[in-house]
Amino acid sequence: MALDFNFTEEQEFFRQMVRDAVNRLIMPKVKELDEKEEFPWDLWKEFAALGYLGLRHDEKYGGMGTDTITQMIFYEELARGSCGFSMSATMQILMGTYFIARFGNENIKQKILVPAIKGEKIGTICFTEDQSGSDLAGTRTLATKVDGGWKINGRKQWITNGPIADFATVMATIDPKLGLKGLNFYLVERKTENRDGFVSGQRLHKLGSRCSVTGELVMDNAFIPDENFLGEEIGKGVQYAGEILNEVRVMTGMNALSIAKEAMEDARQYANNRIAFGNPISRYQLIREKFAKFWAWYEASRTYLYKCAWMIQNNIPCIHDCMLAKYHSTEMCMYAVEEVMRIYGGNAFCSEYPPQRFWRDAKFLLYGGGTHEVLCDYLGRIYCKE
Amino acid sequence: MEIYVLVKQVPDPEAIVKVKSDSELEIENKYFTNFFDEIAIEAGLKLREKFGGKVTVLTVDNKKVDALRRGIAMGADDAIQITDPALEGSDQFAIAKALATYLNLKDKPFDLIFAGRQAMDDDAGMVGPAVAELLGIPYVNVITGLEVDDPKKEVKVIREVDGGKEILSCSLPALFTCQKGLNNPRIPQVMNVMKAMKAQIKKVDLAALGLNAEEVGGKAAKIKVQKYLPPPKRPPVKMIKEDFPENVKTLVKLLREEAKII
Ligand SMILES: Cc1cc2nc3c(=O)[nH]c(=O)nc-3n(C[C@H](O)[C@H](O)[C@H](O)COP(=O)(O)OP(=O)(O)OC[C@H]3O[C@@H](n4cnc5c(N)ncnc54)[C@H](O)[C@@H]3O)c2cc1C
Ligand SMILES: Cc1cc2nc3c(=O)[nH]c(=O)nc-3n(C[C@H](O)[C@H](O)[C@H](O)COP(=O)(O)OP(=O)(O)OC[C@H]3O[C@@H](n4cnc5c(N)ncnc54)[C@H](O)[C@@H]3O)c2cc1C
């Protein structure tokens, strides 16, 4: 029996435990988190105390060292509550600490990774600048080699956790003329009285996922020591970035799954209870079709995403699969949150009901891990063997 | 302190339950740990933290062990599943018999047994008290407060009564069934969740208990389900087609005479 789509009893139990934690800690606060638009420190501490921030890290540093499928189950359950919270947490668990765990020396791991796993230090990753988003070759943040270290100069924007971050993995170029070949990752800490580093710039006010705080990081001739260079060789930053993308894409897809499911479960209840023309609206074929379409796309997305997780776990090359699955699940999610806006009728348009929140929250899925235009352009090219 | 907690995995309130036949339900595969049992586990853990000892979670179930796993995830030391094909169809009394027999077998005597006030599926609230009766130990149901004096082997418990509180005391060993308000069950830490995922659940069958198949299961049941009935379907919406004010008069008449709610 080579093909087995079942989760093990243990994985189901793990899912149940995460679901339960989300139900108890996050669900009761979802509306408040969205409205306040502040980072929820109390919730963060409570959540960090459960240990999930160390899910994918080595036990030596306080992590759990779980496998990819377990991590994906976690991401799927986490985003069900607050997307914003999930965004901050996944930044900490995955992108914000990945390169530190991979390339940091023992000193850095003790100083940064250990407290990050405990939730005591907040991390982030910085690619985006005003002139470069999809196109990393446009990166202007400059890293200049000096005695004993590097000087970093530049502004990063759209940085998740930016206003509260203690440390950041920053992509910078040694020479803009080198394009992609000049890019590297550097660990930069927040500037203090006795340490050089980044300062926070402008904070952004977002459409959705609002309790994760987002903003600019500014580095003005910030000195960092040599050990903060994250990599084995100079000029390999883009390759390293590519190596985390499979996980990031499947994780993003998992978020899409759970947002879509949550929105649709809510709408199902609404449709079964809302009476128009003498019947619950779920009796009308045009409404039923929305649920049927969602259901079909959702199941396909979910199966594909877990296949990708399984491929990552088993070291099977899957870069195209992860792109396809991320694209599919996110578009599925866009469909779901849009249709829920319609199922709710006019009520969808006010903050008393959840559809508008799902709709706003879900939009962030479109950008991370490659915009869909960029993904499709690439995938189409590959498919046509151009 | 040797503490045992009786736990049960029950259908999630959101699970779809259908009446399959007069005596059989078809329950969607969505279960969770009876919430009152979580309170019971928490009570046990709190005492262990204070006085030391061991907390063991115990269930009678042929299939579902997640309540035991949750116990371990919360911090219990040990988990025991009493399982045997002959237990199928047992009523609450037979379940209690299996549990009490197991507890009697222990060479190390127990100090305290906790259970939930009732299981959220059958709402019977019988297993806890029945176990205590069979063991011949004192029990108090539906407690919301607990204070243990370990050296004196005495317990003071509180329970809510109409318009006030009742404070009772008894000697150990004793059994208590736990009610909301007693504590706030902890959310398991991921480290313990992983431990629980891998935990070996100890299985005990009827032979190990020295019980005969005839003493438990459907045949021995003192309570028999006569018939399951689904709740009535939501009646169709009745549109009143008359104009105002006749439609209001008709509505009031219908509410009074048909629906009988005013
Ligand atoms: C909520 C949120 C949090 C974020 N957090 C972070 C973070 O923590 N760190 C970080 O570094 N960044 C972060 N970002 C930024 C995110 O990574 C970028 O938005 C993303 O990379 C896209 O870049 P851009 O916004 O500059 O869009 P652009 O690259 O300017 O794209 C604009 C449009 O052009 C299209 N386009 C671009 N190139 C092509 C092409 N070759 N072919 C066809 N179409 C193309 C795009 O698809 C898009 O439609 C975050 C963004 C959001 C919304
Ligand atoms: C910004 C805003 C301003 C508004 N201002 C006003 C105003 O000033 N005055 C006013 O009176 N109203 C106002 N409305 C309310 C608006 O007119 C209603 O939202 C609209 O009539 C739809 O009704 P509903 O929201 O009750 O949805 P419902 O009728 O409950 O519909 C819910 C869902 O069921 C579907 N549905 C219903 N019946 C069927 C069917 N037979 N077959 C298939 N699908 C069906 C609908 O298409 C929708 O998807 C406003 C709404 C908004 C959003």
Side-chain angles (χ1 to χ4, degrees), chain A residues 9-14 16-17 20-21 24-25 49-52 55 64 66 70 272-273 275 277-278, chain B residues 14 31-32 35 38 65-66 69-70 73 185-191 193-194 196-198 234 237 239:
Chain A
E9 203 182 286
E10 289 77 14
Q11 286 165 337
E12 292 288 6
F13 175 75
F14 177 79
Q16 192 60 45
M17 288 294 113
D20 229 63
R24 290 179 198 192
L25 286 181
L50 299 179
Y52 286 102
L55 208 58
M64 301 307 306
T66 58
T70 305
N272 281 334
N273 289 304
I275 309 286
F277 305 101
Chain B
E14 279 175 21
Y31 287 86
F32 74 131
F35 187 67
E38 275 190 51
V65 294
D66 275 7
R69 288 201 199 280
R70 177 184 282 272
R186 68 195 63 189
I187 300 175
Q189 292 185 346
V190 65
M191 209 169 66
V193 171
M194 307 300 289
M197 280 165 76
K198 293 176 195 133
R234 179 178 165 154
V237 174
M239 302 293 279

Tab-separated table of all heavy atoms in Angstrom, chain A residues 9-14 16-17 20-21 24-25 49-52 55 64 66 70 272-273 275 277-278, chain B residues 14 31-32 35 38 65-66 69-70 73 185-191 193-194 196-198 234 237 239:
chain	number	residue	atom	x	y	z
A	9	GLU	N	-3.233	8.501	14.007
A	9	GLU	CA	-3.985	8.814	15.221
A	9	GLU	C	-3.276	9.921	16.007
A	9	GLU	O	-3.911	10.828	16.550
A	9	GLU	CB	-4.046	7.537	16.066
A	9	GLU	CG	-5.186	7.479	17.054
A	9	GLU	CD	-5.108	6.201	17.865
A	9	GLU	OE1	-5.418	5.128	17.307
A	9	GLU	OE2	-4.709	6.278	19.034
A	10	GLU	N	-1.947	9.849	16.015
A	10	GLU	CA	-1.154	10.834	16.753
A	10	GLU	C	-1.276	12.220	16.125
A	10	GLU	O	-1.412	13.216	16.819
A	10	GLU	CB	0.328	10.425	16.782
A	10	GLU	CG	0.638	9.229	17.648
A	10	GLU	CD	0.252	7.907	16.995
A	10	GLU	OE1	-0.004	7.899	15.765
A	10	GLU	OE2	0.190	6.887	17.708
A	11	GLN	N	-1.245	12.265	14.793
A	11	GLN	CA	-1.375	13.563	14.119
A	11	GLN	C	-2.760	14.164	14.369
A	11	GLN	O	-2.898	15.375	14.564
A	11	GLN	CB	-1.122	13.407	12.620
A	11	GLN	CG	0.350	13.194	12.295
A	11	GLN	CD	0.580	12.685	10.882
A	11	GLN	OE1	-0.298	12.086	10.270
A	11	GLN	NE2	1.776	12.904	10.368
A	12	GLU	N	-3.771	13.312	14.363
A	12	GLU	CA	-5.128	13.801	14.639
A	12	GLU	C	-5.201	14.369	16.056
A	12	GLU	O	-5.855	15.381	16.307
A	12	GLU	CB	-6.165	12.675	14.491
A	12	GLU	CG	-6.365	12.179	13.070
A	12	GLU	CD	-7.115	13.161	12.168
A	12	GLU	OE1	-7.393	14.292	12.596
A	12	GLU	OE2	-7.410	12.775	11.026
A	13	PHE	N	-4.526	13.701	16.957
A	13	PHE	CA	-4.515	14.166	18.342
A	13	PHE	C	-3.812	15.522	18.440
A	13	PHE	O	-4.295	16.442	19.103
A	13	PHE	CB	-3.824	13.135	19.240
A	13	PHE	CG	-3.657	13.593	20.658
A	13	PHE	CD1	-4.741	13.619	21.518
A	13	PHE	CD2	-2.424	14.017	21.127
A	13	PHE	CE1	-4.593	14.059	22.820
A	13	PHE	CE2	-2.271	14.462	22.424
A	13	PHE	CZ	-3.358	14.479	23.267
A	14	PHE	N	-2.695	15.629	17.753
A	14	PHE	CA	-1.954	16.888	17.736
A	14	PHE	C	-2.855	18.010	17.205
A	14	PHE	O	-2.943	19.092	17.778
A	14	PHE	CB	-0.702	16.745	16.868
A	14	PHE	CG	0.092	18.011	16.736
A	14	PHE	CD1	0.948	18.427	17.743
A	14	PHE	CD2	-0.027	18.803	15.597
A	14	PHE	CE1	1.675	19.603	17.620
A	14	PHE	CE2	0.696	19.982	15.473
A	14	PHE	CZ	1.548	20.379	16.488
A	16	GLN	N	-6.048	18.181	17.210
A	16	GLN	CA	-7.085	18.474	18.204
A	16	GLN	C	-6.547	19.383	19.306
A	16	GLN	O	-7.218	20.319	19.743
A	16	GLN	CB	-7.580	17.142	18.786
A	16	GLN	CG	-8.829	17.251	19.618
A	16	GLN	CD	-9.990	17.808	18.826
A	16	GLN	OE1	-10.223	17.400	17.700
A	16	GLN	NE2	-10.720	18.761	19.389
A	17	MET	N	-5.326	19.130	19.718
A	17	MET	CA	-4.735	19.927	20.799
A	17	MET	C	-4.482	21.368	20.350
A	17	MET	O	-4.709	22.308	21.108
A	17	MET	CB	-3.411	19.297	21.253
A	17	MET	CG	-3.550	18.019	22.034
A	17	MET	SD	-4.341	18.235	23.633
A	17	MET	CE	-5.811	17.347	23.343
A	20	ASP	N	-7.789	23.159	19.971
A	20	ASP	CA	-8.300	23.490	21.283
A	20	ASP	C	-7.635	24.717	21.873
A	20	ASP	O	-8.284	25.586	22.449
A	20	ASP	CB	-7.942	22.298	22.168
A	20	ASP	CG	-9.115	21.865	22.935
A	20	ASP	OD1	-10.085	21.455	22.296
A	20	ASP	OD2	-9.046	21.993	24.170
A	21	ALA	N	-6.316	24.779	21.718
A	21	ALA	CA	-5.577	25.939	22.225
A	21	ALA	C	-6.055	27.195	21.495
A	21	ALA	O	-6.265	28.241	22.112
A	21	ALA	CB	-4.077	25.738	22.031
A	24	ARG	N	-9.483	28.249	22.698
A	24	ARG	CA	-9.538	28.829	24.040
A	24	ARG	C	-8.815	30.159	24.137
A	24	ARG	O	-9.286	31.065	24.816
A	24	ARG	CB	-8.949	27.849	25.055
A	24	ARG	CG	-9.860	26.662	25.223
A	24	ARG	CD	-9.332	25.655	26.193
A	24	ARG	NE	-10.018	24.387	25.970
A	24	ARG	CZ	-9.961	23.354	26.772
A	24	ARG	NH1	-9.259	23.427	27.870
A	24	ARG	NH2	-10.612	22.251	26.490
A	25	LEU	N	-7.677	30.256	23.463
A	25	LEU	CA	-6.870	31.476	23.630
A	25	LEU	C	-7.234	32.562	22.621
A	25	LEU	O	-7.266	33.737	22.958
A	25	LEU	CB	-5.378	31.153	23.479
A	25	LEU	CG	-4.698	30.412	24.616
A	25	LEU	CD1	-3.226	30.202	24.293
A	25	LEU	CD2	-4.834	31.189	25.918
A	49	ALA	N	4.081	30.564	25.870
A	49	ALA	CA	4.295	29.657	27.004
A	49	ALA	C	3.936	28.211	26.644
A	49	ALA	O	4.412	27.264	27.278
A	49	ALA	CB	3.473	30.127	28.203
A	50	LEU	N	3.112	28.027	25.644
A	50	LEU	CA	2.741	26.662	25.245
A	50	LEU	C	3.852	25.986	24.425
A	50	LEU	O	3.804	24.781	24.208
A	50	LEU	CB	1.440	26.663	24.438
A	50	LEU	CG	0.207	27.209	25.149
A	50	LEU	CD1	-0.995	27.156	24.221
A	50	LEU	CD2	-0.086	26.429	26.425
A	51	GLY	N	4.787	26.767	23.946
A	51	GLY	CA	5.971	26.167	23.317
A	51	GLY	C	5.909	26.003	21.810
A	51	GLY	O	6.857	25.517	21.205
A	52	TYR	N	4.822	26.428	21.173
A	52	TYR	CA	4.680	26.172	19.736
A	52	TYR	C	5.656	26.980	18.880
A	52	TYR	O	5.880	26.645	17.720
A	52	TYR	CB	3.249	26.455	19.272
A	52	TYR	CG	2.264	25.398	19.717
A	52	TYR	CD1	1.416	25.621	20.787
A	52	TYR	CD2	2.201	24.174	19.066
A	52	TYR	CE1	0.522	24.649	21.204
A	52	TYR	CE2	1.315	23.195	19.479
A	52	TYR	CZ	0.469	23.437	20.551
A	52	TYR	OH	-0.401	22.473	20.955
A	55	LEU	N	8.410	24.939	17.313
A	55	LEU	CA	7.926	23.758	16.587
A	55	LEU	C	8.947	23.132	15.652
A	55	LEU	O	9.131	21.925	15.625
A	55	LEU	CB	6.697	24.182	15.779
A	55	LEU	CG	5.666	23.120	15.479
A	55	LEU	CD1	5.136	22.523	16.769
A	55	LEU	CD2	4.529	23.711	14.666
A	64	MET	N	11.087	21.874	19.325
A	64	MET	CA	10.456	20.563	19.366
A	64	MET	C	10.937	19.653	18.235
A	64	MET	O	10.674	18.466	18.251
A	64	MET	CB	8.937	20.691	19.233
A	64	MET	CG	8.253	21.516	20.287
A	64	MET	SD	8.674	20.967	21.952
A	64	MET	CE	8.271	19.239	21.853
A	66	THR	N	9.858	19.090	15.222
A	66	THR	CA	8.802	18.261	14.615
A	66	THR	C	9.007	18.145	13.105
A	66	THR	O	9.756	18.913	12.508
A	66	THR	CB	7.409	18.876	14.835
A	66	THR	OG1	7.407	20.187	14.273
A	66	THR	CG2	7.063	18.950	16.302
A	70	THR	N	3.569	17.725	10.661
A	70	THR	CA	3.094	18.230	11.950
A	70	THR	C	3.057	19.760	11.939
A	70	THR	O	2.094	20.375	12.413
A	70	THR	CB	4.018	17.737	13.087
A	70	THR	OG1	4.090	16.315	13.010
A	70	THR	CG2	3.518	18.152	14.443
A	272	ASN	N	-28.287	28.417	6.415
A	272	ASN	CA	-29.308	27.481	6.902
A	272	ASN	C	-30.354	28.177	7.757
A	272	ASN	O	-31.443	27.643	7.971
A	272	ASN	CB	-28.665	26.359	7.719
A	272	ASN	CG	-28.053	25.304	6.821
A	272	ASN	OD1	-28.478	25.127	5.680
A	272	ASN	ND2	-27.048	24.613	7.326
A	273	ASN	N	-30.030	29.340	8.261
A	273	ASN	CA	-30.958	30.031	9.154
A	273	ASN	C	-31.627	31.244	8.536
A	273	ASN	O	-32.690	31.661	8.975
A	273	ASN	CB	-30.222	30.444	10.428
A	273	ASN	CG	-29.899	29.248	11.283
A	273	ASN	OD1	-30.786	28.481	11.648
A	273	ASN	ND2	-28.638	29.046	11.566
A	275	ILE	N	-33.849	33.250	6.319
A	275	ILE	CA	-35.034	32.945	5.523
A	275	ILE	C	-35.279	34.058	4.504
A	275	ILE	O	-35.285	35.233	4.857
A	275	ILE	CB	-36.291	32.850	6.419
A	275	ILE	CG1	-36.059	31.904	7.605
A	275	ILE	CG2	-37.525	32.450	5.616
A	275	ILE	CD1	-36.047	30.454	7.283
A	277	PHE	N	-37.948	34.527	0.993
A	277	PHE	CA	-39.012	33.922	0.175
A	277	PHE	C	-39.501	32.599	0.767
A	277	PHE	O	-39.767	31.642	0.056
A	277	PHE	CB	-38.540	33.705	-1.269
A	277	PHE	CG	-38.030	34.969	-1.909
A	277	PHE	CD1	-36.674	35.212	-2.020
A	277	PHE	CD2	-38.929	35.939	-2.377
A	277	PHE	CE1	-36.205	36.385	-2.584
A	277	PHE	CE2	-38.457	37.118	-2.953
A	277	PHE	CZ	-37.100	37.347	-3.052
A	278	GLY	N	-39.568	32.545	2.107
A	278	GLY	CA	-40.172	31.389	2.758
A	278	GLY	C	-39.248	30.212	2.994
A	278	GLY	O	-39.668	29.203	3.565
B	14	GLU	N	-20.733	19.625	17.966
B	14	GLU	CA	-20.971	19.937	16.554
B	14	GLU	C	-21.068	18.688	15.682
B	14	GLU	O	-21.420	18.773	14.513
B	14	GLU	CB	-19.846	20.830	16.017
B	14	GLU	CG	-20.032	22.283	16.381
B	14	GLU	CD	-18.846	23.129	15.957
B	14	GLU	OE1	-18.083	22.722	15.074
B	14	GLU	OE2	-18.696	24.220	16.537
B	31	TYR	N	-14.774	13.838	18.107
B	31	TYR	CA	-14.871	13.648	19.549
B	31	TYR	C	-13.978	14.629	20.282
B	31	TYR	O	-13.010	15.127	19.738
B	31	TYR	CB	-14.467	12.224	19.907
B	31	TYR	CG	-15.498	11.188	19.513
B	31	TYR	CD1	-15.507	10.643	18.238
B	31	TYR	CD2	-16.468	10.776	20.411
B	31	TYR	CE1	-16.461	9.706	17.872
B	31	TYR	CE2	-17.422	9.829	20.060
B	31	TYR	CZ	-17.413	9.300	18.785
B	31	TYR	OH	-18.353	8.384	18.428
B	32	PHE	N	-14.306	14.885	21.492
B	32	PHE	CA	-13.382	15.627	22.341
B	32	PHE	C	-13.515	15.121	23.773
B	32	PHE	O	-14.418	14.361	24.099
B	32	PHE	CB	-13.575	17.142	22.215
B	32	PHE	CG	-14.801	17.692	22.891
B	32	PHE	CD1	-14.707	18.799	23.731
B	32	PHE	CD2	-16.040	17.134	22.689
B	32	PHE	CE1	-15.826	19.323	24.345
B	32	PHE	CE2	-17.184	17.655	23.304
B	32	PHE	CZ	-17.070	18.747	24.131
B	35	PHE	N	-15.541	17.913	28.994
B	35	PHE	CA	-14.903	19.072	29.622
B	35	PHE	C	-14.832	18.937	31.151
B	35	PHE	O	-13.856	19.352	31.776
B	35	PHE	CB	-15.617	20.365	29.228
B	35	PHE	CG	-14.897	21.589	29.726
B	35	PHE	CD1	-13.647	21.918	29.218
B	35	PHE	CD2	-15.429	22.385	30.724
B	35	PHE	CE1	-12.951	23.031	29.685
B	35	PHE	CE2	-14.747	23.502	31.199
B	35	PHE	CZ	-13.509	23.823	30.675
B	38	GLU	N	-11.799	17.221	32.135
B	38	GLU	CA	-10.600	18.073	32.121
B	38	GLU	C	-10.458	18.778	33.465
B	38	GLU	O	-9.348	18.949	33.972
B	38	GLU	CB	-10.711	19.139	31.027
B	38	GLU	CG	-10.274	18.672	29.666
B	38	GLU	CD	-10.177	19.838	28.701
B	38	GLU	OE1	-9.517	20.842	29.035
B	38	GLU	OE2	-10.796	19.756	27.620
B	65	VAL	N	-8.912	6.659	22.676
B	65	VAL	CA	-7.993	6.864	23.798
B	65	VAL	C	-7.555	8.320	23.917
B	65	VAL	O	-6.690	8.648	24.721
B	65	VAL	CB	-6.733	5.969	23.669
B	65	VAL	CG1	-7.105	4.504	23.800
B	65	VAL	CG2	-6.010	6.223	22.368
B	66	ASP	N	-8.168	9.200	23.135
B	66	ASP	CA	-7.694	10.588	23.146
B	66	ASP	C	-7.907	11.292	24.486
B	66	ASP	O	-7.167	12.220	24.817
B	66	ASP	CB	-8.349	11.398	22.015
B	66	ASP	CG	-7.587	11.224	20.704
B	66	ASP	OD1	-6.663	10.389	20.684
B	66	ASP	OD2	-7.909	11.907	19.721
B	69	ARG	N	-4.842	10.477	26.203
B	69	ARG	CA	-3.725	11.262	25.664
B	69	ARG	C	-3.809	12.705	26.157
B	69	ARG	O	-2.792	13.328	26.452
B	69	ARG	CB	-3.728	11.233	24.139
B	69	ARG	CG	-3.310	9.898	23.582
B	69	ARG	CD	-2.826	10.021	22.144
B	69	ARG	NE	-2.840	8.742	21.479
B	69	ARG	CZ	-1.901	7.811	21.615
B	69	ARG	NH1	-0.861	8.035	22.384
B	69	ARG	NH2	-2.004	6.659	20.992
B	70	ARG	N	-5.002	13.224	26.199
B	70	ARG	CA	-5.116	14.592	26.702
B	70	ARG	C	-4.642	14.664	28.152
B	70	ARG	O	-3.959	15.603	28.553
B	70	ARG	CB	-6.543	15.123	26.604
B	70	ARG	CG	-6.637	16.534	27.196
B	70	ARG	CD	-8.041	17.058	27.206
B	70	ARG	NE	-8.459	17.522	25.902
B	70	ARG	CZ	-8.247	18.762	25.468
B	70	ARG	NH1	-7.621	19.652	26.212
B	70	ARG	NH2	-8.670	19.117	24.284
B	73	ALA	N	-1.062	14.829	28.066
B	73	ALA	CA	-0.643	16.134	27.554
B	73	ALA	C	-0.773	17.205	28.634
B	73	ALA	O	0.017	18.142	28.701
B	73	ALA	CB	-1.454	16.514	26.323
B	185	PRO	N	-8.993	24.365	33.544
B	185	PRO	CA	-8.062	23.348	33.048
B	185	PRO	C	-6.981	23.961	32.175
B	185	PRO	O	-7.263	24.821	31.346
B	185	PRO	CB	-8.946	22.425	32.209
B	185	PRO	CG	-10.329	22.694	32.655
B	185	PRO	CD	-10.374	24.109	33.147
B	186	ARG	N	-5.750	23.528	32.374
B	186	ARG	CA	-4.628	24.099	31.639
B	186	ARG	C	-4.659	23.681	30.167
B	186	ARG	O	-5.172	22.608	29.836
B	186	ARG	CB	-3.312	23.678	32.284
B	186	ARG	CG	-2.995	22.194	32.156
B	186	ARG	CD	-1.901	21.772	33.110
B	186	ARG	NE	-2.288	21.953	34.515
B	186	ARG	CZ	-1.434	21.823	35.522
B	186	ARG	NH1	-0.174	21.523	35.287
B	186	ARG	NH2	-1.848	21.992	36.765
B	187	ILE	N	-4.098	24.527	29.322
B	187	ILE	CA	-3.921	24.173	27.916
B	187	ILE	C	-2.578	23.460	27.820
B	187	ILE	O	-1.565	23.994	28.270
B	187	ILE	CB	-3.926	25.432	27.030
B	187	ILE	CG1	-5.258	26.179	27.187
B	187	ILE	CG2	-3.706	25.059	25.564
B	187	ILE	CD1	-5.312	27.498	26.448
B	188	PRO	N	-2.552	22.258	27.253
B	188	PRO	CA	-1.297	21.504	27.242
B	188	PRO	C	-0.188	22.215	26.486
B	188	PRO	O	-0.426	22.835	25.457
B	188	PRO	CB	-1.665	20.208	26.522
B	188	PRO	CG	-3.132	20.088	26.645
B	188	PRO	CD	-3.663	21.496	26.672
B	189	GLN	N	1.029	22.121	27.012
B	189	GLN	CA	2.202	22.634	26.303
B	189	GLN	C	2.591	21.648	25.219
B	189	GLN	O	2.423	20.443	25.382
B	189	GLN	CB	3.368	22.783	27.273
B	189	GLN	CG	3.124	23.874	28.281
B	189	GLN	CD	4.327	24.092	29.163
B	189	GLN	OE1	5.229	23.269	29.199
B	189	GLN	NE2	4.319	25.200	29.871
B	190	VAL	N	3.156	22.185	24.153
B	190	VAL	CA	3.437	21.337	22.997
B	190	VAL	C	4.379	20.185	23.357
B	190	VAL	O	4.250	19.071	22.857
B	190	VAL	CB	3.964	22.167	21.802
B	190	VAL	CG1	5.290	22.803	22.090
B	190	VAL	CG2	4.058	21.326	20.557
B	191	MET	N	5.288	20.437	24.299
B	191	MET	CA	6.211	19.373	24.698
B	191	MET	C	5.442	18.172	25.246
B	191	MET	O	5.728	17.027	24.910
B	191	MET	CB	7.144	19.923	25.772
B	191	MET	CG	8.484	19.274	25.803
B	191	MET	SD	9.573	20.224	26.873
B	191	MET	CE	8.794	19.998	28.467
B	193	VAL	N	2.293	17.602	24.630
B	193	VAL	CA	1.460	17.081	23.537
B	193	VAL	C	2.258	16.035	22.754
B	193	VAL	O	1.753	14.955	22.447
B	193	VAL	CB	1.001	18.222	22.599
B	193	VAL	CG1	0.317	17.657	21.356
B	193	VAL	CG2	0.060	19.179	23.327
B	194	MET	N	3.512	16.371	22.471
B	194	MET	CA	4.354	15.417	21.730
B	194	MET	C	4.561	14.138	22.545
B	194	MET	O	4.570	13.038	22.002
B	194	MET	CB	5.729	16.022	21.409
B	194	MET	CG	5.725	17.364	20.719
B	194	MET	SD	4.913	17.402	19.134
B	194	MET	CE	6.057	16.478	18.167
B	196	ALA	N	2.499	12.958	24.698
B	196	ALA	CA	1.222	12.232	24.687
B	196	ALA	C	1.004	11.518	23.359
B	196	ALA	O	0.429	10.433	23.303
B	196	ALA	CB	0.075	13.210	24.959
B	197	MET	N	1.472	12.165	22.263
B	197	MET	CA	1.307	11.538	20.949
B	197	MET	C	2.025	10.199	20.900
B	197	MET	O	1.594	9.265	20.253
B	197	MET	CB	1.896	12.447	19.860
B	197	MET	CG	0.985	13.589	19.458
B	197	MET	SD	1.894	14.842	18.514
B	197	MET	CE	2.051	14.035	16.920
B	198	LYS	N	3.161	10.150	21.588
B	198	LYS	CA	3.989	8.932	21.502
B	198	LYS	C	3.721	7.970	22.651
B	198	LYS	O	4.237	6.854	22.648
B	198	LYS	CB	5.472	9.346	21.506
B	198	LYS	CG	5.848	10.098	20.236
B	198	LYS	CD	7.293	10.576	20.293
B	198	LYS	CE	7.547	11.625	19.223
B	198	LYS	NZ	8.262	12.798	19.711
B	234	ARG	N	-37.230	21.315	12.074
B	234	ARG	CA	-37.735	22.690	12.101
B	234	ARG	C	-38.953	22.776	11.183
B	234	ARG	O	-38.885	22.432	10.006
B	234	ARG	CB	-36.609	23.590	11.582
B	234	ARG	CG	-36.962	25.035	11.528
B	234	ARG	CD	-35.736	25.787	11.050
B	234	ARG	NE	-36.110	27.134	10.639
B	234	ARG	CZ	-35.285	28.151	10.648
B	234	ARG	NH1	-34.055	27.979	11.013
B	234	ARG	NH2	-35.684	29.342	10.260
B	237	VAL	N	-41.762	27.438	7.375
B	237	VAL	CA	-42.162	28.807	7.703
B	237	VAL	C	-43.566	29.053	7.160
B	237	VAL	O	-43.892	28.647	6.046
B	237	VAL	CB	-41.170	29.802	7.059
B	237	VAL	CG1	-41.641	31.224	7.247
B	237	VAL	CG2	-39.789	29.606	7.636
B	239	MET	N	-46.092	31.772	5.957
B	239	MET	CA	-46.206	33.174	5.564
B	239	MET	C	-47.666	33.603	5.737
B	239	MET	O	-48.580	32.911	5.278
B	239	MET	CB	-45.798	33.370	4.093
B	239	MET	CG	-44.387	32.913	3.760
B	239	MET	SD	-43.116	33.914	4.541
B	239	MET	CE	-43.074	35.321	3.423
